[in-house]
Amino acid sequence: MRWNPRLEGMRAYEPGKTIGEVKREFGLERIVKLASNENPFGCSAEVKKFIAESGLETELYPDGYATELREALSDHLGISPRQLLFGGGSDELIVILSRALLSENENTVMPWPSFPQYRHNARIQGTEIREVSLHEDFSHDLDGMLKAIDENTSIVWLCTPNNPTGGIIPHEELKAFIRKVPEHVLVIVDNAYHEFVTDPAYADPLTLVEEFPNVLVLRTFSKAYGLAAFRIGYAVAREEVIAKLDPVRPPFNTNVLGQQAAAFALADQEFIARTRQQNVAGKDQYVRFAEAHGLNCPVSEANFVLLEVKGSADAAAYELLKRGYIVRSGDKLGTPGYLRITVGTQEDNAGLLAALEQVLAHGVPEA
Ligand SMILES: *Cc1c(COP(=O)(O)O)cnc(C)c1O
């Protein structure tokens, strides 16, 4: 078979161990998964009620245009319905954007460490990848990114709050950056953790879509809304930008249950406010632990923290796994020596930190 040669050496996304696997492997009863930034509080009770009662017509295709969700979301965001593009998670929107804009003759600029799907998809398109390292304090090197842009750049990716480091790009800096980016470059602001941010230096990046023709914001129902299983993400941009992207979207890319669940979830902003408050309290548990143990824990505005372990993060993650806690090792995410831990319920955070206390007391092996 004649495979696209660019697939040479590429690996599929490696999911973490499933809860069932960990239970069997380590003979454990209860597993706490704090690895994928899912919402530990579930989702809105309205969504659960709808799912229990939905008598869906399973033989019919979904509304490919997601009309009802589109109307609800455009009302909520105060934008035109034609400024929205829906995807099977923002993951699929990254695929659509890459197919629409990246080819062999171009380059794309992105931060590192950041969300790996930007470079994964750029590789498949055969596009030159220009990764610009974050500063030592994990903030975006926006000047470095500007320098990396040239006449052949088609997309510059930004992630705020950034995964896996958690920091935001302050609004004024973001705006000043976009002002300097040439108009032929699409600036994609991946905003998957928008709903968690409380820092006053942050402002809603959607205002930048009004101000600049070449900005696109990515959001998702997977994180704060607690609907990761349903795969609904969306892009917001100028109508002209969305109109160019829409033909690249598979016709029925979001499903019936997901569209309706997202609309119910959107209507329950009280759940989002409660999630945000509980997340602030949860982050604080980690920050206090880090201070007490002299470990670095950079300020996170998302629902995860990076926590230093002063040794091999792979080894520390494995020790936590044995004790029933699934987290991500930063050794694989571009932040060696750190764990990326999803902020869970107060009880699960306390349990994880007690387990980590034991692990640290035994000494974490060198990387
Ligand atoms: C989780 C995440 C996504 C993907 O979320 P979907 O479930 O595909 O909507 C995109 N970008 C970042 C930065 C993420 O952390």
Side-chain angles (χ1 to χ4, degrees):
M1 280 167 277
R2 299 189 177 177
W3 297 110
N4 177 343
R6 295 177 203 136
L7 300 182
E8 191 71 44
M10 288 192 79
R11 291 195 305 180
Y13 177 75
E14 277 178 47
K17 285 183 199 285
T18 67
I19 289 178
E21 277 169 349
V22 177
K23 278 187 182 168
R24 278 192 299 280
E25 194 173 332
F26 299 100
L28 295 166
E29 285 284 307
R30 182 167 183 268
I31 303 296
V32 177
K33 180 169 178 265
L34 295 174
S36 303
N37 308 339
E38 296 137 332
N39 190 328
F41 308 105
C43 65
S44 163
E46 295 303 311
V47 177
K48 291 181 182 162
K49 185 161 154 262
F50 151 69
I51 291 167
E53 293 169 2
S54 75
L56 288 176
E57 295 169 310
T58 57
E59 71 284 11
L60 300 181
Y61 276 104
D63 167 12
Y65 195 62
T67 311
E68 281 179 29
L69 176 59
R70 182 178 298 270
E71 280 168 7
L73 195 54
S74 64
D75 273 354
H76 177 73
L77 300 174
I79 58 171
S80 144
R82 283 191 298 276
Q83 286 186 267
L84 285 164
L85 185 74
F86 290 97
S90 31
D91 278 341
E92 192 194 25
L93 292 164
I94 296 170
V95 175
I96 291 171
L97 285 157
S98 301
R99 287 189 71 188
L101 287 144
L102 301 181
S103 69
E104 286 168 45
N105 307 319
E106 276 122 3
N107 67 68
T108 179
V109 175
M110 59 190 69
W112 181 256
S114 190
F115 195 57
Q117 291 302 310
Y118 317 144
R119 72 175 184 194
H120 183 87
N121 285 288
R123 253 185 96 175
I124 294 173
Q125 297 305 118
T127 305
E128 182 198 335
I129 297 165
R130 298 187 175 175
E131 285 178 316
V132 178
S133 293
L134 299 181
H135 286 124
E136 203 136 318
D137 66 356
F138 299 126
S139 60
H140 279 63
D141 178 5
L142 295 175
D143 288 335
M145 294 185 84
L146 274 178
K147 285 194 196 108
I149 293 170
D150 64 20
E151 66 281 6
N152 296 322
T153 303
S154 51
I155 298 179
V156 53
W157 304 85
L158 303 171
C159 191
T160 178
N162 187 46
N163 182 0
T165 51
I168 55 151
I169 303 172
H171 192 71
E172 289 310 314
E173 286 177 36
L174 180 57
K175 206 153 109 174
F177 171 80
I178 295 169
R179 216 174 264 137
K180 290 181 213 150
V181 173
E183 272 199 25
H184 71 269
V185 180
L186 181 65
V187 181
I188 298 179
V189 181
D190 187 343
N191 212 197
Y193 300 94
H194 165 74
E195 296 82 3
F196 293 103
V197 181
T198 58
D199 186 339
Y202 177 88
D204 189 338
L206 289 188
T207 60
L208 301 170
V209 172
E210 277 169 49
E211 209 169 328
F212 302 96
N214 58 330
V215 173
L216 181 142
V217 176
L218 287 177
R219 296 247 174 101
T220 180
F221 283 92
S222 297
K223 307 283 163 59
Y225 285 94
L227 299 182
F230 286 119
R231 316 304 304 125
I232 304 278
Y234 60 95
V236 182
R238 294 271 181 100
E239 289 186 13
E240 315 82 82
V241 174
I242 297 297
K244 292 296 275 186
L245 293 168
D246 208 20
V248 187
R249 180 181 65 81
F252 303 107
N253 63 331
T254 57
N255 68 76
V256 178
L257 206 49
Q259 289 178 19
Q260 296 196 45
F264 277 104
L266 189 67
D268 191 354
Q269 286 301 313
E270 214 175 290
F271 176 82
I272 297 298
R274 212 159 50 238
T275 289
R276 187 187 306 113
Q277 283 164 11
Q278 285 166 300
N279 186 59
V280 167
K283 279 189 301 187
D284 198 47
Q285 291 176 270
Y286 290 93
V287 169
R288 275 182 284 138
F289 180 91
E291 279 170 6
H293 293 78
L295 303 170
N296 190 21
C297 182
V299 175
S300 169
E301 291 290 330
N303 69 335
F304 55 83
V305 293
L306 263 194
L307 183 57
E308 189 186 25
V309 293
K310 297 206 163 135
S312 156
D314 280 354
Y318 187 74
E319 288 301 317
L320 285 175
L321 195 61
K322 285 202 277 190
R323 292 163 172 84
Y325 293 93
I326 310 180
V327 301
R328 292 294 305 269
S329 162
D331 291 351
K332 290 181 188 70
L333 302 175
T335 51
Y338 285 83
L339 297 174
R340 193 196 69 189
I341 306 170
T342 300
V343 177
T345 62
Q346 191 181 11
E347 191 192 352
D348 287 342
N349 298 330
L352 181 144
L353 289 170
L356 185 59
E357 180 103 52
Q358 289 178 1
V359 173
L360 295 176
H362 287 216
V364 180
E366 304 258 318

